[in-house]
Amino acid sequence: MAAVLNTICFKSPEGIGTPSLSGLFQPHLNLQEELHRKERRSYYDTFEWRCFEHQTAVVVKNRTISLLDLQSGVESAPLSLKTSPSHFLPSILPPGTIRNRLESLAGLRALMKRCTIESDMVAFRILDRIEKTTGFLFAETLFLIKGTRKERISGLITLKPLKGFHDDIFIISRALEEHFGTENRLDVKSVFRLLMDSAGLRVNDYNPKINLSLRPGNPVRISAAELLLFTHGIMKCNEPGILGNIDTEFLHDYRVALRRTRSLLSQIKGIFPPEIILRYRQAFSDIGKKCNTLRDCDVYMLKQTAYFDTLPPLLAVHLSPFFGELEATRKVELKRFSDFLRSKTYRTMLDEWQLLLKDVLSAPGTERESDPGQEESISVAVKTIGKAWKKVIRHGRAIPAEASDSELHALRIDCKKLRYLLEFFSSLFPEKTIGPVVRHLKELQENLGAFVDLAVQQHALYRYIDSMKTKPANPELAAALGGLIVMLHRQQEKERKAFNQTFRRFDNDETETLVTELLNR
């Protein structure tokens, strides 16, 4: 049975009890009842709805996981699954089509159970005058499962056509439209949204990228408060994923929001009185320090496969104790940081911070000309971006051919500050102007990021080898870590050599023209 035509659905008040279905298509076609069953389906997607974004729903039913094409309604790649977990990484699945597809869709993200639906269903075979099957019709009543309770969602009639019977399918779909009304016709994607809505979920409700529409003439204090409320919201909505240890991207996004908050507080003047700025800069800095080790553990664990692949197999096998210890450290750090996120001190600080920002929006502050928070947002954006841009160019040009670690590390920080400013104020400039500037900067950041990360990894491995002096001798592990440091050093030197050329591509006439156009809008 190969259904290649798009599935068509209709909302039906009666659902499984819809009367007269069998008479809708006569005399041309008949319905033959096949089976009556109840079926539970759990729907999965990442926190960012990446599967939905790629027109795919991940469905687990009857201990089988499959991918549902939200355009055609075709299910593919069924794979046995022993349980219906609350969340899982694609890497736990056996190698094959579905794992490859999910790894491609989800990246580092876990698949989270979004909701569970129970279907009370009758399936019909659609037969033509010579008793040949032309398609299948399903009458369902759908219920949302909430713990031990279930709530009725809707009735649904689903037509799954078969290849080669376009004329019959036209008759069926027209008859269904006349019976249920065109307003009740749904595509598969709309049915998915209906199910998510019934579960109280909003598809695509999370995007960590700054997507605000700042007003150029607004006081910068107002714009900054809007941006800081956004980063506050990102931090809050990632907390459950950190506490649940769902995947490493929750902590990643949390820390990016944290860095953006600190960057805004240090780069934009006049948002709050100096004593308040100082207090919250320190508070957010302390939060960052509390999760530094946890994030380091995540980074190394994510590189585990790459590390093993870097070394010859005879050496790589001895890395296992290192990663075993790393995993144990991660558990301790996750527990420590989770306790902090649940603490009254942390919750009170973030609540007060949010209240402070909302107060700014409701009462922007004084009208004194000398108040820097009253300056127009666009004026501050142009000044701060221009200043940060000149700093990157000045420092980058001063770096010699044989760049030192400290010089490239400092330039990386300069680039980050510029990148944050471009992202903060992006809505104040035309996308066609600011977009290319960000892309040019991104290439330079990738080179500097890779260089600094490789340096950090080597130092961490050195420290670990040093700590082995107080542990039982393990020369094989020391040799493997030494080999890894050598390989990382070679990679770092490649990035060092690539820097000058990368910087020249950034510091060229084209980028300068783009920035000049941006700042002289």
Side-chain angles (χ1 to χ4, degrees), residues 301-321:
M301 294 303 292
L302 290 170
K303 292 180 181 298
Q304 185 171 356
T305 303
Y307 280 175
F308 274 84
D309 292 343
T310 298
L311 294 178
L314 282 175
L315 271 182
V317 70
H318 298 297
L319 286 175
S320 297

Side-chain angles (χ1 to χ4, degrees), residues 93-101:
L93 299 174
T97 305
I98 195 164
R99 174 173 160 174
N100 293 341
R101 176 70 174 146

Side-chain angles (χ1 to χ4, degrees), residues 394-436:
R394 187 170 65 250
H395 288 176
R397 287 177 180 174
I399 294 176
E402 288 301 318
S404 69
D405 290 12
S406 59
E407 287 169 329
L408 294 183
H409 180 67
L411 185 62
R412 185 193 189 196
I413 293 173
D414 292 338
C415 288
K416 269 190 177 183
K417 288 180 178 176
L418 173 59
R419 175 76 173 271
Y420 285 147
L421 287 171
L422 290 169
E423 290 174 348
F424 293 153
F425 295 121
S426 61
S427 62
L428 301 179
F429 301 96
E431 169 58 28
K432 66 178 182 180
T433 309
I434 200 165

